[in-house]
Amino acid sequence: MKIGVTFSETNYHNYPRWIKGNDENIDIVELSYEKNNLQDVANCDAVVFTGGIDMEPNEKVDYANAPETFNTKRDTFEMEVLAKALKSHKPILGICRGLQLINVYKGGTLHLDNGESKNEIHKKGTEDKKHQVQVEKNSFFYSIVKEESGEVNSSHHQSIEKLGTDLKAVAHSEDGVIEVIESTNPEEQFLLAVQWHPERMGDLESPFSKNIRKALIEKICN
């Protein structure tokens, strides 16, 4: 089993460690613009889109908490990876920036900065923040976690503004931030993305971490 993981400049090692676990049957394929290995997507059984710095906005604009420099090569490469994965109906999991990338690819938009009050809840300080999320019972994601609410970590200052085409928002924080998106047709396409970081939660046994990984692996095996 081969799972593609897009390279991130920040804490990349957490993703392969979480995905692979103790399963010797799982091989991680690092996908990155530096390796320029778009062709390797064809050999992957699933693709995970990781966190990292903001994507460059379509229009040049100053905004709070923007990075000093953007990585447009990464943005372009990952958009191409996503296009190939969707065309091949490969299972797709997005994490933090990965959720935002999927939404933008699908024609959605982002709040470039959530603002001071929401950043108090969502933006990482010296450590990840923690908050509750509410899950819609009538969703594919609920069938995975089997919980209507739970605590997740948080390390972002951007969020979904307008939802992209063929996407459904199925979990929110108490202040209204979209925390989970999925395909409107999950039977046809395993496309799931979360705004938090399941790979580095304090409790990796939480269904909001463990069950996400389990669902991805099971989808590949089935």
Side-chain angles (χ1 to χ4, degrees):
M1 180 188 308
K2 293 185 178 181
I3 299 179
V5 180
T6 61
F7 181 75
S8 175
E9 305 87 348
T10 53
N11 300 310
Y12 173 75
H13 64 280
N14 287 329
Y15 299 96
R17 183 173 60 188
W18 175 67
I19 295 162
K20 189 172 177 62
N22 297 318
D23 194 334
E24 295 180 355
N25 296 317
I26 298 176
D27 292 324
I28 302 297
V29 179
E30 181 185 308
L31 301 169
S32 75
Y33 71 93
E34 291 180 320
K35 291 187 174 184
N36 194 26
N37 58 339
L38 186 63
Q39 72 281 356
D40 287 345
V41 176
N43 300 322
C44 295
D45 298 299
V47 179
V48 177
F49 291 87
T50 59
I53 66 168
D54 302 355
M55 290 182 292
E56 184 172 36
N58 289 331
E59 298 180 5
K60 298 290 185 183
V61 59
D62 292 327
Y63 63 92
N65 297 302
E68 289 185 11
T69 57
F70 294 97
N71 190 339
T72 54
K73 290 182 178 179
R74 180 184 176 185
D75 297 345
T76 301
F77 177 79
E78 291 186 0
M79 286 288 192
E80 293 172 347
V81 171
L82 181 55
K84 278 188 171 291
L86 285 169
K87 187 175 181 179
S88 304
H89 292 280
K90 295 182 185 293
I92 294 167
L93 173 63
I95 294 174
C96 199
R97 167 193 154 103
L99 170 143
Q100 296 166 8
L101 179 102
I102 290 166
N103 188 63
V104 170
Y105 178 87
K106 288 282 194 175
T109 60
L110 302 177
H111 295 289
L112 297 182
D113 187 76
N114 289 328
E116 193 171 331
S117 61
K118 286 183 177 176
N119 283 341
E120 284 292 321
I121 298 169
H122 297 272
K123 186 176 182 291
K124 180 180 180 178
T126 54
E127 296 183 353
D128 289 348
K129 300 285 178 60
K130 295 179 182 179
H131 62 73
Q132 293 286 313
V133 294
Q134 308 296 321
V135 181
E136 290 188 17
K137 288 195 73 173
N138 185 27
S139 68
F140 173 60
F141 184 67
Y142 177 79
S143 74
I144 292 172
V145 295
K146 297 179 173 60
E147 298 281 354
E148 290 185 60
S149 64
E151 185 180 76
V152 300
N153 58 353
S154 188
S155 177
H156 65 100
H157 78 103
Q158 297 187 319
S159 60
I160 291 176
E161 181 182 37
K162 185 186 80 173
L163 198 60
T165 305
D166 300 325
L167 296 175
K168 182 180 178 184
V170 294
H172 296 76
S173 58
E174 293 175 343
D175 57 354
V177 171
I178 294 174
E179 294 283 340
V180 181
I181 58 174
E182 63 186 38
S183 169
T184 53
N185 191 353
E187 295 82 10
E188 182 179 314
Q189 172 69 61
F190 184 106
L191 175 61
L192 179 69
V194 299
Q195 186 60 79
W196 64 89
H197 283 272
E199 82 287 354
R200 69 175 196 232
M201 282 178 61
D203 179 12
L204 293 177
E205 292 298 308
S206 163
F208 290 85
S209 172
K210 182 180 180 179
N211 290 22
I212 294 170
R213 175 190 178 276
K214 181 182 177 184
L216 181 67
I217 304 301
E218 287 181 348
K219 180 62 179 179
I220 295 169
C221 293
N222 295 334

